[in-house]
């Protein structure tokens, strides 16, 4: 922001809040000469047609309190979209940008008449609600360190909790990408030196992170879009698997209405059921996803996935029989 524009914004604010602002008081507040103040006031009148007047009782003042300095080229609709976006981020607990966005919107709102801003806030709060489900506990400091490491291509050392094994480990990592998945799930994708392969890490499970002085060179053969595209949900498997899952006629409409994977094909059946076919990596997430539909879904292939589902069902049966 130029010094002149910054001073005009400060002058505009003082004209709205100070009691009887004069050339002398404004000059003292902004640490400039009275001549500079006279030039700035004239600039506001001539360039922006500011409704400025001076009286002994009121000092310099706006004759139209609703007038605003058009320094931010945003429409009401655009600012409303940002307002709703900020509330959406707040609904997803753990979002590292919610506070910054809310602060930015508050500053932008200063350029709108108060009545318009109040009406926008009322609309956003009363008629648009967001429910995010389960919350995550994210450390913003760790998130921003990862941002820096990704942009600077610096290796990191992190302490990571693995929920499936209930263990904590130290990992040296080349951080490639931050991924926001379904709003509340935040992942770091990078090359793990412990496993000697690219891995996904839930950021809320990183308990400690240090940026190392070591630089790294990204692998030129690693295509992040292809890597993410082959994954079902967010699990990365060792090999690509051809999957076929049958869904009954009651469940089929919920499968048709979304695209679950870019390789998917749907085979329709005369009774209203369908078979979903796709080629993906990672079957543990597939197992959980299929079981969400209960008796409405049957895995046909691959055998590994059929076995996983059978084992899960058998374990549940034993738990409930006990």
């Amino acid at each position: 922001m130029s010094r002149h524009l910054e001073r005009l914004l400060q002058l505009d604010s003082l004209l709205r809040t100070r009691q009887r602002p004069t050339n002398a008081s404004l000059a003292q507040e902004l640490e400039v000469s009275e001549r500079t103040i006279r030039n700035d006031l004239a600039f506001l009148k001539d360039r922006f047609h500011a409704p400025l007047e001076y009286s002994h009782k009121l000092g310099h003042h706006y004759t139209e309190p609703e007038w605003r300095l058009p320094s931010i080229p945003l429409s009401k609709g655009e600012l409303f979209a940002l307002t709703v976006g900020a509330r959406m981020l707040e609904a997803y607990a753990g979002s590292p940008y919610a506070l910054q966005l809310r602060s930015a919107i508050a500053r932008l709102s200063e350029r709108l008449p108060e009545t318009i801003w109040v009406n926008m806030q009322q609309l956003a709060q009363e008629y648009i609600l967001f429910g995010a489900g389960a919350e995550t506990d994210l450390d913003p400091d760790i998130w921003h360190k990862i941002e820096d490491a990704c942009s600077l291509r610096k290796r990191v050392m992190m302490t990571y909790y693995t929920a499936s094994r209930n263990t904590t480990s130290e990992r040296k990592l080349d951080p490639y990408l931050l991924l926001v998945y379904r709003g509340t799930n935040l992942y770091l994708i990078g090359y793990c030196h412990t496993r000697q392969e690219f891995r996904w890490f839930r950021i809320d499970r990183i308990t400690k992170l240090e940026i190392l002085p070591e630089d790294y060179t990204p692998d030129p053969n690693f295509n992040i879009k292809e890597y993410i595209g082959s994954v079902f949900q967010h699990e990365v498997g060792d090999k690509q698997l051809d999957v076929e899952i049958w869904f009954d006629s009651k469940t089929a409409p919920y499968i048709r209405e979304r695209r679950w994977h870019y390789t998917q094909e749907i085979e329709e059946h005369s009774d209203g059921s369908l078979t979903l076919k796709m080629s993906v990596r990672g079957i543990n997430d597939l197992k959980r996803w299929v079981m969400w539909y209960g008796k409405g879904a049957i895995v046909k292939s691959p055998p590994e996935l059929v076995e996983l589902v059978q084992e899960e069902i058998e374990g549940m049966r034993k738990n409930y029989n006990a």
Side-chain angles (χ1 to χ4, degrees):
M1 182 186 295
S2 71
R3 175 56 186 156
H4 187 213
L5 177 56
E6 184 179 357
R7 192 172 65 247
L8 288 178
L9 292 173
Q10 291 175 318
L11 179 59
D12 174 75
S13 178
L14 291 172
L15 289 170
R16 298 180 189 282
T17 58
R18 287 290 296 268
Q19 295 294 322
R20 293 185 66 251
T22 64
N23 289 344
S25 65
L26 292 171
Q28 181 179 6
E29 186 74 27
L30 296 178
E31 299 181 349
V32 295
S33 66
E34 291 188 35
R35 179 179 179 180
T36 298
I37 293 298
R38 289 195 294 270
N39 290 339
D40 284 348
L41 291 171
F43 186 85
L44 286 174
K45 286 184 178 181
D46 297 338
R47 180 66 63 88
F48 297 114
H49 308 291
L52 274 168
E53 286 189 3
Y54 178 83
S55 69
H56 180 72
K57 180 179 180 180
L58 299 175
H60 293 291
H61 63 281
Y62 290 121
T63 58
E64 300 174 16
E66 293 292 290
W67 182 86
R68 289 295 185 272
L69 182 65
S71 59
I72 306 297
L74 283 179
S75 68
K76 288 187 293 183
E78 290 169 330
L79 189 53
F80 180 71
L82 283 174
T83 303
V84 173
R87 294 196 60 247
M88 185 185 299
L89 280 178
E90 288 185 58
Y92 295 124
S95 171
Y97 299 115
L99 292 177
Q100 291 92 328
L101 183 55
R102 193 161 62 239
S103 173
I105 290 172
R107 294 178 63 184
L108 289 172
S109 70
E110 295 173 0
R111 308 266 65 81
L112 282 179
E114 184 177 355
T115 54
I116 293 177
W117 175 241
V118 170
N119 288 340
M120 288 171 57
Q121 288 284 75
Q122 184 177 4
L123 281 172
Q125 292 175 5
E126 293 185 5
Y127 302 108
I128 303 177
L129 301 177
F130 298 96
E135 299 180 356
T136 56
D137 185 15
L138 178 70
D139 184 342
D141 182 59
I142 288 178
W143 173 275
H144 294 306
K145 281 184 179 179
I146 296 172
E147 283 182 319
D148 292 339
C150 287
S151 63
L152 297 173
R153 300 298 187 196
K154 292 286 188 181
R155 288 197 172 105
V156 300
M157 180 64 74
M158 67 180 185
T159 304
Y160 188 74
Y161 169 70
T162 303
S164 60
R165 297 193 298 271
N166 193 28
T167 60
T168 299
S169 60
E170 300 291 323
R171 308 281 186 111
K172 181 182 284 190
L173 189 81
D174 296 347
Y176 274 56
L177 180 73
L178 286 163
L179 177 66
V180 180
Y181 177 75
R182 292 186 174 179
T184 57
N185 296 315
L186 308 175
Y187 291 91
L188 169 60
I189 299 175
Y191 183 79
C192 175
H193 289 261
T194 302
R195 294 294 185 90
Q196 296 288 296
E197 62 183 359
F198 285 92
R199 307 279 291 186
W200 293 43
F201 299 93
R202 275 260 303 266
I203 295 177
D204 58 302
R205 291 177 181 164
I206 299 174
T207 58
K208 183 180 179 182
L209 185 134
E210 177 189 359
I211 300 177
L212 301 176
E214 309 168 31
D215 297 328
Y216 74 88
T217 302
D219 183 349
N221 298 316
F222 180 70
N223 187 314
I224 190 66
K225 290 185 178 180
E226 290 182 2
Y227 177 77
I228 294 176
S230 66
V231 172
F232 183 79
Q233 308 286 35
H234 59 268
E235 182 191 5
V236 182
D238 296 329
K239 60 181 180 179
Q240 200 92 359
L241 295 170
D242 293 327
V243 177
E244 291 189 19
I245 306 169
W246 175 87
F247 295 91
D248 66 15
S249 58
K250 290 184 178 180
T251 310
Y254 300 103
I255 304 304
R256 291 190 191 98
E257 68 182 2
R258 294 188 183 184
R259 186 166 184 81
W260 301 98
H261 197 264
Y262 79 100
T263 65
Q264 79 176 41
E265 295 178 5
I266 291 180
E267 179 184 343
E268 299 284 356
H269 305 302
S270 59
D271 62 354
S273 65
L274 62 82
T275 298
L276 175 68
K277 302 177 182 180
M278 51 190 173
S279 182
V280 303
R281 292 180 182 274
I283 58 175
N284 285 293
D285 266 351
L286 262 174
K287 177 199 71 175
R288 288 186 284 268
W289 180 70
V290 167
M291 296 195 69
W292 171 269
Y293 295 101
K295 64 180 182 180
I298 300 175
V299 177
K300 299 295 186 179
S301 66
E304 300 99 307
L305 181 56
V306 173
E307 184 178 348
L308 276 179
V309 173
Q310 289 174 336
E311 288 177 355
E312 193 74 21
I313 293 172
E314 183 60 29
M316 293 172 65
R317 182 182 291 112
K318 289 180 179 178
N319 286 343
Y320 280 100
N321 286 341

